[in-house]
Amino acid sequence: MEKTIIAAVLYLCTAASLCAQNLIPYERSGKWGYKSPSGEVVVEAKYAAVSRFADGYGVVYDYNSGLAGLVESSGRVVIEPKYSYIDLCNEGFVAVYICGKDKEMWVDGVWTYIDLSSPDVLFFGDDGYDLVGPFIDSVAWVNCVETKTMRKQRYMPVMDKKGKKEIGRDYLFGVSESFCMDDLYARDDDGNRIVYDGAWVLVDKDKHVRTDLNRPYQMVGEFRDGLAWVKRDGLYGYVNVRGEEVIPVIYSSVQGAPGAGATSLLLRPENGAVRWVMNGRGEMAWLNEKGEVVVDFVKFDGKIPAGVTVLESMWDY
């Protein structure tokens, strides 16, 4: 009896593992499908293109319409191919792009979400946004007005049977292992993000807006350690995941914001400093999560006095 129970448990664990595994794209007669790592066909080759698997899902493009859908690792179609583009986002949500009336890609369409627990329902109903970011700690940034900012387009190279890239056969996919705000933006030839001022607000999974709709932010950043930089009226600060401005939007620059540079000074953890800010006089200070000054403002000339609170060797480039 005990051996039977053990065998049953092992079987269930193996089955669950196989179900959760990432599938591998394969091509047959110019169409694409998925195989298991052991070579078993899980999704027949019937699509115009398929993405690499990420987070247990793969993007598939219908052979006739060219529209995108989503399959899971069992081969089941989770979202029928009817969207122009799909990004694999975080925390059980995907971002989908719906073209406008003219059907011209990236021009007059809108972005919205699909909760994978309710894949047949658009998260915001018939409404959509100019750009939407990933859910992190159950909140996400959405941009409410149309801008010239273009969402980054990701490509997957098509490989031949020997594993070599086939020239001219890159396919456009929305697939990312861990989607982040930096993945939103197209870049110029020098690799810099092309971002225009928008009207960003913070929403949660209950569709509540956590920041002031009447005072949206021009630009927003990634949540790191519970805080995200924000910009309003040309000044910067930080908000937490509740939408509270824990570090007020009064600074000319803050750590992580555009143009702030990659260099930051890290302090001893016991001091509680989590971010640096710069005022209009070019002076820098380090603040804790409450926005309180840990190291007072000093003139920034490329060097910061070490003092007793700073580890001089802990520069983060």
Side-chain angles (χ1 to χ4, degrees):
M1 179 65 178
E2 184 177 348
K3 291 182 178 180
T4 302
I5 294 174
I6 293 174
V9 170
L10 289 174
Y11 172 80
L12 290 174
C13 291
T14 302
S17 175
L18 287 174
C19 183
Q21 68 189 349
N22 285 337
L23 303 181
I24 300 171
Y26 80 98
E27 182 188 18
R28 178 177 295 163
S29 301
K31 297 181 180 180
W32 289 83
Y34 288 106
K35 291 183 178 181
S36 70
S38 62
E40 178 185 359
V41 173
V42 179
V43 177
E44 292 291 339
K46 60 180 180 178
Y47 293 104
V50 298
S51 76
R52 293 188 181 93
F53 251 63
D55 302 328
Y57 296 94
V59 179
V60 297
Y61 283 77
D62 183 77
Y63 193 80
N64 296 312
S65 68
L67 297 178
L70 203 69
V71 300
E72 64 176 10
S73 54
S74 67
R76 182 177 69 90
V77 175
V78 179
I79 298 175
E80 293 291 340
K82 56 183 178 180
Y83 299 103
S84 302
Y85 193 78
I86 295 179
D87 265 315
L88 293 185
C89 277
N90 300 356
E91 300 186 1
F93 281 74
V94 295
V96 298
Y97 181 74
I98 304 171
C99 276
K101 293 181 180 179
D102 294 335
K103 304 297 182 183
E104 187 174 353
M105 196 70 163
W106 317 120
V107 175
D108 58 352
V110 295
W111 285 91
T112 185
Y113 297 106
I114 290 179
D115 181 349
L116 292 178
S117 65
S118 303
D120 297 324
V121 180
L122 293 176
F123 188 64
F124 293 117
D126 293 331
D127 296 326
Y129 292 92
D130 182 67
L131 283 174
V132 296
F135 274 93
I136 297 175
D137 293 332
S138 298
V139 295
W141 291 110
V142 298
N143 178 35
C144 304
V145 299
E146 185 177 353
T147 70
K148 297 179 181 179
T149 300
M150 297 293 292
R151 190 151 180 157
K152 182 179 179 181
Q153 303 171 21
R154 285 180 294 282
Y155 293 84
M156 185 184 83
V158 177
M159 314 300 285
D160 64 20
K161 293 181 179 180
K162 296 181 179 180
K164 295 182 178 180
K165 181 179 180 299
E166 294 187 12
I167 304 300
R169 294 196 65 200
D170 287 359
Y171 283 132
L172 172 64
F173 294 111
V175 57
S176 175
E177 290 286 354
S178 54
F179 191 83
C180 66
M181 288 295 289
D182 277 348
D183 291 325
L184 283 179
Y185 307 113
R187 299 178 184 270
D188 61 21
D189 293 338
D190 296 324
N192 301 312
R193 295 183 300 171
I194 306 172
V195 186
Y196 296 88
D197 286 348
W200 293 85
V201 294
L202 193 65
V203 299
D204 62 26
K205 291 183 177 180
D206 293 321
K207 304 177 188 176
H208 297 145
V209 178
R210 295 195 178 186
T211 53
D212 191 346
L213 268 172
N214 297 316
R215 300 187 69 214
Y217 296 105
Q218 292 170 280
M219 291 185 186
V220 294
E222 190 83 36
F223 277 97
R224 301 185 187 281
D225 300 322
L227 298 178
W229 65 262
V230 293
K231 175 187 177 184
R232 183 194 290 127
D233 298 330
L235 299 176
Y236 295 89
Y238 291 93
V239 301
N240 60 21
V241 294
R242 295 186 295 276
E244 302 164 337
E245 289 186 10
V246 294
I247 297 177
V249 184
I250 60 175
Y251 299 104
S252 62
S253 184
V254 296
Q255 185 173 327
T263 303
S264 62
L265 189 62
L266 303 181
L267 306 184
R268 296 180 187 273
E270 61 268 22
N271 291 307
V274 293
R275 299 291 189 276
W276 63 258
V277 298
M278 180 181 288
N279 61 24
R281 297 185 298 273
E283 299 170 336
M284 296 181 70
W286 281 261
L287 312 180
N288 62 20
E289 291 184 357
K290 297 179 181 179
E292 300 166 339
V293 174
V294 176
V295 174
D296 209 348
F297 285 94
V298 293
K299 185 66 178 177
F300 177 69
D301 59 1
K303 297 180 180 179
I304 301 295
V308 295
T309 61
V310 178
L311 288 181
E312 196 171 9
S313 62
M314 291 183 65
W315 284 92
D316 175 27
Y317 289 97

